[in-house]
Amino acid sequence: VQIELLTIGDELLLGFTIDTNGAYIARALAALGVAVVRRGTVGDGADEIATAVREALDRTGAVITTGGLGPTADDRTRDVIAGVFGRKLHRDDAIFAQVEARFRKLGVPMPPSNVNQAMIPEGARVLTNRHGTAPGLWLEDERGRWCAMLPGIPREMRGMLKEELLPILAGMVGADPTVVLSRTVRTTGIGESALAEMLGDLAKGVDGLPLAFLPAWPGVDLRLTSAERRAPSAEACLTAAAAKLRAAAPRYVYGEDDTDLAGVVLDLCREQKMRIVTAESATGGLIGARLTAIPGSSDVFLGGTIAYTNFVKNRELGVSAELLRDRGAVNEEVARAMVEGACGRFGAEVGMSITGVAGPDGGTPETPVGTIWLAARVAGETRAAGKVFVGDREEIRLRASQAALDMVRRMLTRQIT
Ligand code: ATP
Ligand code: MG
């Protein structure tokens, strides 16, 4: 099955909204065995939408759109595509009641314009929206050419895709189709070329599966893709190939797919019955935010100090005022004193500290922008490292948080360095 994707909205053309719907749908369909053969974006204009849908129906005969299903005047998708299929709109009382009920539940009066959302083209199949008011629509002509309309709001689109559209498409591709599936092996603490060297021949692909190197602030992700197999065999091949990558770079791999290193550290601490504290200067609480973003962190993460000024480093963590005065805040001694102060005062077995210059100002010849000292403490042992990260302020801070978490991960997994 081949389809075209059309995302609709002036905001997308202007670049104010990034087309995440297109990427999300393409991935979900690939996993189902449906190939997206073309992706397009048009503005909110009626003519643009009509032309784009007509062309896609002529070319491919199968179109998914997102956006423009709302109640306002700039939402024309429903009317225009009904016109392309030559269908009139009528008020659907059941849908009207649903929209009304949704507003009643929210306790607000329904704006009159929401009546539009109950206007359904003749012969349309309604795709239920359990996450918002705009129903989705499926229109099909006598030749079997179809267009499915999903809302623009990503959360509503994702819900409707999963609950309504994917089951329909799964029925169309038949049993056990060829699918495109990926597996990501996540590494950190090693550069792209060093990693490629370490992987040797595997860098060119594993068991016939192509391998992509994807560097970003968390580290280098290695993505394996299977495009020619049916789902069970694809999963088995990906699992075997991922294991080979793990074995080839064991020190640097911290997980697969969406795994966050913060979650890995929490799990390791939980297993070993240790509790975590943080002492953050340059990252201003970023590690704490990453740890607490993970559900269930409260049994492991005690809390931390945002020790941004020397005053707080001294008062709250006990870093020596003389040390700070004589040597400044960005050096190994301060990083060590911060983590030891935090672990000691809060009574934790595991700690992390970060002090550095995130920029864009504040760098000196000896301590350029991007200089970060970090320290980690696990069960009485403290390790520290100095790094110079590249990137803008945000990237430097993210990379620093990742490096500190990785230092703890290595200590908890008993790695020598
Ligand atoms: P509404 O009922 O809110 O009007 P809608 O179905 O009419 O929903 P749009 O008005 O086109 O959808 O978009 C609503 C919001 O959804 C946009 O402001 C934007 O934030 C988001 N959005 C729309 N299209 C996309 C897209 N392709 N990718 C990511 N976000 C999108
Ligand atoms: Mg809208």
Side-chain angles (χ1 to χ4, degrees), residues 6-12 16-23 25 41 44 66-72 74-78 114 117 129 132-135 150-157:
L6 185 66
T7 49
I8 297 169
D10 287 344
E11 298 292 302
L12 295 165
F16 287 111
T17 299
I18 295 170
D19 181 12
T20 55
N21 285 353
I25 296 174
T41 299
D44 291 316
T66 77
L69 285 186
T72 52
D74 63 346
D75 295 317
R76 302 201 178 87
T77 301
R78 180 190 309 100
N114 277 82
Q117 296 186 310
N129 188 345
T133 53
L150 303 180
I153 297 173
R155 191 176 46 81
E156 297 183 20
M157 182 284 294

Side-chain angles (χ1 to χ4, degrees), residues 76-83 86-92 116 118-122 124 137 139:
R76 302 201 178 87
T77 301
R78 180 190 309 100
D79 297 19
V80 169
I81 298 179
R87 309 287 173 84
K88 290 203 175 60
L89 296 150
H90 64 269
R91 200 180 108 162
D92 184 308
N116 291 339
M119 298 303 289
I120 304 297
E122 291 162 11
L137 295 169
L139 276 173

Side-chain angles (χ1 to χ4, degrees), residues 9-49:
D10 287 344
E11 298 292 302
L12 295 165
L13 291 180
L14 289 169
F16 287 111
T17 299
I18 295 170
D19 181 12
T20 55
N21 285 353
Y24 186 90
I25 296 174
R27 262 184 282 169
L29 294 186
L32 198 70
V34 175
V36 175
V37 291
R38 189 173 179 126
R39 251 171 80 181
T41 299
V42 293
D44 291 316
D47 292 345
E48 295 169 75
I49 299 173

Side-chain angles (χ1 to χ4, degrees), residues 297-342:
S297 51
S298 61
D299 57 350
V300 177
F301 179 55
L302 292 182
T305 302
I306 300 174
Y308 210 48
T309 55
N310 286 351
F311 172 72
V312 175
K313 288 182 183 77
N314 170 252
R315 259 281 272 278
E316 296 300 318
L317 298 170
V319 180
S320 143
E322 290 71 40
L323 170 62
L324 290 164
R325 189 191 61 216
D326 298 342
R327 304 261 335 271
V330 184
N331 55 66
E332 175 167 2
E333 286 72 20
V334 170
R336 284 179 178 271
M338 283 170 70
V339 76
E340 285 169 5

Side-chain angles (χ1 to χ4, degrees), residues 246-262:
R246 280 174 172 274
R251 287 151 45 93
Y252 301 99
V253 175
Y254 65 88
E256 289 184 5
D257 295 332
D258 296 328
T259 302
D260 185 341
L261 182 55

Side-chain angles (χ1 to χ4, degrees), residues 29-377:
L29 294 186
L32 198 70
V34 175
V36 175
V37 291
R38 189 173 179 126
R39 251 171 80 181
T41 299
V42 293
D44 291 316
D47 292 345
E48 295 169 75
I49 299 173
T51 306
V53 171
R54 235 179 246 123
E55 287 174 356
L57 288 173
D58 286 341
R59 264 193 308 263
T60 315
V63 194
I64 297 174
T65 69
T66 77
L69 285 186
T72 52
D74 63 346
D75 295 317
R76 302 201 178 87
T77 301
R78 180 190 309 100
D79 297 19
V80 169
I81 298 179
V84 169
F85 280 82
R87 309 287 173 84
K88 290 203 175 60
L89 296 150
H90 64 269
R91 200 180 108 162
D92 184 308
D93 291 331
I95 303 280
F96 184 77
Q98 279 170 26
V99 175
E100 225 180 12
R102 222 186 143 79
F103 277 98
R104 212 175 311 120
K105 213 169 109 192
L106 296 172
V108 290
M110 188 180 88
S113 64
N114 277 82
V115 177
N116 291 339
Q117 296 186 310
M119 298 303 289
I120 304 297
E122 291 162 11
R125 173 168 181 178
V126 172
L127 307 174
T128 306
N129 188 345
R130 292 177 187 79
H131 313 271
T133 53
L137 295 169
W138 171 288
L139 276 173
E140 192 164 338
D141 68 12
E142 57 293 340
R143 292 157 58 188
R145 302 184 308 173
W146 57 267
C147 177
M149 292 159 251
L150 303 180
I153 297 173
R155 191 176 46 81
E156 297 183 20
M157 182 284 294
R158 289 195 298 266
M160 192 181 292
L161 181 72
K162 177 159 173 265
E163 294 153 10
E164 299 283 322
L165 189 52
L166 291 185
I168 298 177
L169 297 177
M172 292 171 66
V173 295
D176 214 9
T178 303
V179 295
V180 180
L181 292 180
S182 290
R183 184 77 53 87
T184 303
V185 174
R186 311 204 74 175
T187 74
T188 194
I190 183 168
E192 193 177 355
S193 42
L195 182 59
E197 212 152 290
M198 181 173 283
L199 294 178
D201 280 344
L202 295 176
K204 295 182 213 133
V206 188
D207 302 337
L209 303 174
L211 182 67
F213 285 71
L214 307 167
W217 69 261
V220 179
D221 285 343
L222 300 169
R223 197 172 60 230
L224 294 155
T225 301
S226 165
E228 278 128 36
R229 293 172 176 78
R230 296 171 201 290
S233 133
E235 292 287 3
C237 287
L238 289 168
T239 301
K244 287 187 186 172
L245 290 176
R246 280 174 172 274
R251 287 151 45 93
Y252 301 99
V253 175
Y254 65 88
E256 289 184 5
D257 295 332
D258 296 328
T259 302
D260 185 341
L261 182 55
V264 174
V265 166
L266 285 171
D267 289 344
L268 287 167
C269 287
R270 196 174 287 119
E271 277 164 26
Q272 301 180 29
K273 302 211 175 349
M274 294 187 184
R275 290 157 312 164
I276 305 176
V277 292
T278 52
E280 302 186 62
S281 181
T283 44
L286 185 54
I287 301 179
R290 289 184 61 188
L291 289 166
T292 52
I294 294 169
S297 51
S298 61
D299 57 350
V300 177
F301 179 55
L302 292 182
T305 302
I306 300 174
Y308 210 48
T309 55
N310 286 351
F311 172 72
V312 175
K313 288 182 183 77
N314 170 252
R315 259 281 272 278
E316 296 300 318
L317 298 170
V319 180
S320 143
E322 290 71 40
L323 170 62
L324 290 164
R325 189 191 61 216
D326 298 342
R327 304 261 335 271
V330 184
N331 55 66
E332 175 167 2
E333 286 72 20
V334 170
R336 284 179 178 271
M338 283 170 70
V339 76
E340 285 169 5
C343 284
R345 292 182 177 208
F346 301 135
E349 299 80 15
V350 174
M352 281 160 266
S353 68
I354 288 180
T355 177
V357 187
D361 308 317
T364 63
E366 307 83 63
T367 316
V369 166
T371 303
I372 298 283
W373 273 95
L374 45 98
R377 185 169 173 84

